[in-house]
Amino acid sequence: MRPWRGGSLLLAVAGVAILMAIPAAGAANPYPDGGGRFDGGAEGWQVTEASCNVPVLCSASGGYDGGDGTPAGSLAAETEIGLNLVSLFHSTVTMQSPDFVAAGGGAATLHLERRFAPGSLVDLAPQLTYTAQLVDRTSGKRTTSISESLDGASGWSGEDGAAVVQAGHTYAILITARTSSTVAGTGLLSGATAARFDNVALTVGADGSAGGGSGSGGSAGGGITAARLADLAPGTVAGPAQLKGKRLLVKARCPRRIGHACRIAVRGLLSKRKPATAQQRVKVATGKTRRLVLRVKPRAKGSLAGRKRLLFRIRVRAGGVEATTLKRLRLIRR
């Protein structure tokens, strides 16, 4: 019996070796080549725009940073401010990947990791707003997959967005970082802010698919469309909002009708363009509710004193699609 068992073992080992040598069917394809790890260089990415609205006293730049990333190595978008600045500033840095051709089509996921460091300009309350877009060179279409705003310092965090690609089309990924101050300069501060991006890759197929589909109607194939999510988005935040000193408490919930876990980002507003609180993000399971604690901005505290209602901006991601809405909630004090 021993020779038979030995023969079985040899056959089993050979079978494993064959399986390991054959790529798994439907394996995901990351683009551009290398998956945007930036651990050895910029991988062909180029800066297509670097500008600031205040000449001489403000400069913007982009490029490769070999010392920062996960692992080390990332793309950097930096803004430098001079001593005599006495106004608000905003800068824009746009970085573009090398072109690539999609071998397969269907649903895809655009992933990146980002970090924001206000540096010595923290007293100017700088904000980072960035977008990651998929540019279809063949059709000329441009689609925003990821859009996020950050108030203050933020460590490395991963973000994902849905996309749909056509086999044989040529694409590029475009990241645009806009840094702006919310407090005017006094002429006494100088320094730099830095936004960093790492592990930028579009994945098509097994790991990037949200279940197939062509993306018609704004759906990534996960059973909910962008239009449907927009209808349900106001119901993801419930009032009343409770003001407790420097904190504002609201409830975030993920309605079962969405059919997916929700990533909900909420910010209180004095007006559509004037924030009252910092933004807070939370992941909520389907059918569940979680409490959000929003930090009230010092300059907004007095404006909240006599208000009975407050406006909120709500951004919801679920099933590979995203929706943003505005909602007013009753404001109570505890």
Side-chain angles (χ1 to χ4, degrees), residues 42 44-51 60-64 75-77 92-97 174-175:
W45 283 70
Q46 296 182 345
V47 177
T48 60
E49 180 186 359
S51 62
S61 63
Y64 175 67
L75 300 178
T92 302
V93 176
T94 300
M95 297 171 287
Q96 182 176 294
S97 78
L174 203 66
I175 297 177

Side-chain angles (χ1 to χ4, degrees), residues 4 13 17 29 48 75 103 113 122 138 169 194 213 215 227 229 265 276 307 315:
W4 175 252
V13 172
N29 300 312
T48 60
L75 300 178
E113 295 176 27
V122 64
T138 305
H169 280 212
L229 186 61
R307 296 206 176 204
R315 189 176 77 240

